[in-house]
Amino acid sequence: MNFLPQFIVSKDSHGALISIIGRLDAKGASSLWHAITQKISNTDLPNLTLNLEKVNYLDTAGATFIYHIEKLARTRGVKAFFIVNLKQEFSPLIELAKTIKQKDFSNQTPQKLSFVENKGKNLSDTFSETKEFITYIGEITWALIQSLKHPKTIRWADTFLVAERAGVDALPIVALISFIVGLVMAFQAAIPMRMFGAELYVANLIGIAMIRELGPLMTAIVLAGRSSSAFAAEIGTMRINEEIDALTVMGLDPIRFLIVPRVIALTVITPLLTIFSNLVGILGGALVITSLGYPIISYYNQIASFVEWNDFAGGLVKCFVFGILIATSGCIRGYQTQSGPSAVGVSTTRAVVTGIVLIAIFDGIFSIMYYYLGI
Amino acid sequence: MKPMETIIKIENLYAGYNNIPIIENISFKVLKGEVFMIIGGSGCGKSTLLKNMIGLLPPISGNVMILGENLSQAIGKEKNLILQKIGVAFQSGALFGSMTVMENVKLVLKEFTSLPDSVMDDIVWLKLKLVGLEKAAFLMPGELSGGMKKRAALARAMALDPSIIFLDEPSAGLDPITSAGLDHLVRELASSLGITFVIVTHELASIDAISDRIIMLEKDAKTIIATGTPAQLKNDHSNPYVYNFFNRTIHKGEK
């Protein structure tokens, strides 16, 4: 039974007597806290006696509570403070609570930085992290060159496994997203274009948008969310389980062993998935066009006459680069995993964010480049 | 009796993180075929010393000589060649989670030799038999008990028949019987195959049971505070820390 403690105050000309009855644990102390402190604050008697005869349980919280009653009483001008009828078994705790006076965390509390210092530290952290990221990119590039020079050293079994997981297994989700993008875009475009009797030109829009821009971009974003995070989680867990250390002391280079197969697999798989995505997106558009009453052959002819090989090649080159970016960002973030229970979660998040940011930046660079190249 | 050959030599080693040394000016030698233990309380730098000895952490200054070659100065291929001559079993086992026990042991053989697959299988079987895991070859690391994981890690460390094996806290998290079994295995491998073992531990029972020689590190001194056989250190009354460690006491040792 857990009744909350009670207290009774009695006063005479010499001082006040407070009797506490019941359990003094954290819950009990908190229930009495407000009432007792108020009572003491209102007294101006020279003596205060605390009768603990009826306290049947006392723990560190209760002892701290009593320490604070005494402290408060002293600040209110109480000259003499007594604890009476304390049970023998509780006295060590009351003694322990007296050591609170010596509490001093001053040289343990972490140094607090000012706003400016904090921003400066963040900036310097970002710089050193970027430097580390670039170093890893260099190391990976070197390992890739070495591996391509000696293809026998590439772990092909792992490469194919990653290609299957990141490529074949991603077909349904890539199909779903591309189909819906193609369908919705065609539908949205068809409504205003109908006013000009130009519904068929929706085909031009879908063709050029999917092949040049949306196919590569959608595929890259799906892969960043799906595979980059998986790479970061796999490699991050290996880091935490000391498996990467184990590889290193076996004389095996973890970059060649873990990162190179993933980068090769994703670099090959991204353009293939993009071609698939282009096709499915165009099919989505076809559904809208045929439902508007045009034969599918006119849709096909419209796209075939408008979209050039240049557009197709431009899209493919772009997603080739996206593949490298997604794989490296996932692997590097995994490789940088620190220790602790949330470390892998942090790494996967950073992998996806880094991947998407890099995709956006490089997509912009490609757009400008293609504009000047006249593609 | 001819003098024993030095197999590892540590010279004036300062090691730590971010250029702040945790251990300072450490020098010692490990002789061929002995079971050498690095002991000390928590936070004394045992693991840091081990990481330096196996090349996972570069020393701040000083040298780690393994089999006459300087591991701390070596990089790239040269370093990998030295590392292939040693084996390491980590505290957690660090088995590759996506591979069976068999594949874990076979991995380095596959990477560094061009033996036919069936021969590699035979070698793996021998290693697994040595550690008593021949019946667990096709289990995944997740299906192994704590003791089995450590045995599997030991088998993997032995894959290339190294002359030195490093063990990080082999008894951590094991019950006394399993732990004693592992000790017995280490002693047997040391005497039958002549493997040198360097073991980081603070398990008194293991120290007593199998070590030939010990160095003891201490957090405040940041260096080696005692060297010798277990019997010598146990009866060493000159340093209260050493005395307390071996006698599980917390008061000052008396002369």
Side-chain angles (χ1 to χ4, degrees), chain B residues 174-185:
Chain B
L174 296 186
D175 65 86
I177 296 175
T178 316
S179 173
L182 204 65
D183 285 347
H184 180 71
L185 177 65

Side-chain angles (χ1 to χ4, degrees), chain A residues 270-283:
Chain A
T270 316
L272 295 178
L273 274 178
T274 303
I275 297 174
F276 175 73
S277 158
N278 292 343
L279 203 72
V280 177
I282 290 171
L283 277 179

Side-chain angles (χ1 to χ4, degrees), chain B residues 26-42:
Chain B
I26 287 192
S27 302
F28 63 89
K29 284 176 186 171
V30 179
L31 305 176
K32 192 167 192 262
E34 68 179 346
V35 175
F36 188 87
M37 285 200 174
I38 301 169
I39 64 171
S42 307

Side-chain angles (χ1 to χ4, degrees), chain A residues 52-203:
Chain A
L52 300 183
E53 190 186 0
K54 300 245 169 82
V55 169
N56 55 16
Y57 175 88
L58 183 117
D59 57 16
T60 39
T64 312
F65 175 60
I66 288 164
Y67 169 81
H68 276 274
I69 292 180
E70 181 179 354
K71 200 173 150 194
L72 182 71
R74 300 249 185 236
T75 56
R76 298 304 303 175
V78 170
K79 294 276 175 323
F81 179 86
F82 307 101
I83 296 172
V84 293
N85 298 329
L86 175 70
K87 286 195 180 119
Q88 190 74 46
E89 62 206 88
F90 300 145
S91 63
L93 276 171
I94 297 288
E95 287 306 312
L96 178 71
K98 285 180 184 158
T99 60
I100 294 176
K101 275 190 210 112
Q102 303 155 13
K103 185 177 84 175
D104 179 16
F105 289 138
S106 57
N107 44 13
Q108 293 168 43
T109 40
Q111 209 185 349
K112 271 197 180 146
L113 297 177
S114 72
F115 180 78
V116 179
E117 284 172 323
N118 220 340
K119 293 295 154 205
K121 189 177 171 293
N122 286 351
L123 188 70
S124 114
D125 286 352
T126 312
F127 276 140
S128 56
E129 198 176 89
T130 314
K131 198 172 134 195
E132 198 183 285
F133 197 84
I134 294 170
T135 315
Y136 278 125
I137 289 181
E139 275 184 49
I140 294 172
T141 315
W142 179 243
L144 263 177
I145 294 170
Q146 290 298 315
S147 301
L148 294 175
K149 265 194 198 162
H150 310 281
K152 270 192 181 165
T153 62
I154 298 173
R155 295 177 53 81
W156 289 110
D158 277 3
T159 311
F160 288 127
L161 189 71
V162 175
E164 186 191 326
R165 279 199 208 141
V168 181
D169 296 354
L171 283 175
I173 180 80
V174 170
L176 178 75
I177 298 216
S178 310
F179 188 79
I180 288 178
V181 166
L183 185 109
V184 170
M185 202 165 53
F187 193 69
Q188 295 293 339
I191 299 165
M193 278 164 123
R194 191 174 220 172
M195 291 194 272
F196 308 101
E199 296 110 305
L200 195 56
Y201 289 99
V202 169

Side-chain angles (χ1 to χ4, degrees), chain A residues 155 242-243 248 250 256, chain B residues 80 83 92 95 111-112 156:
Chain A
R155 295 177 53 81
E242 294 180 306
E243 290 176 38
T248 312
M250 281 178 181
R256 179 183 72 78
Chain B
N80 286 348
L83 289 175
S92 62
L95 298 168
E111 287 293 320
F112 297 125
R156 189 178 68 180

Side-chain angles (χ1 to χ4, degrees), chain A residues 221-242:
Chain A
I221 289 176
V222 168
L223 285 181
R226 209 179 160 273
S227 304
S228 178
S229 55
F231 292 171
E234 283 164 12
I235 295 177
T237 312
M238 290 186 80
R239 165 69 83 198
I240 286 183
N241 291 343
E242 294 180 306

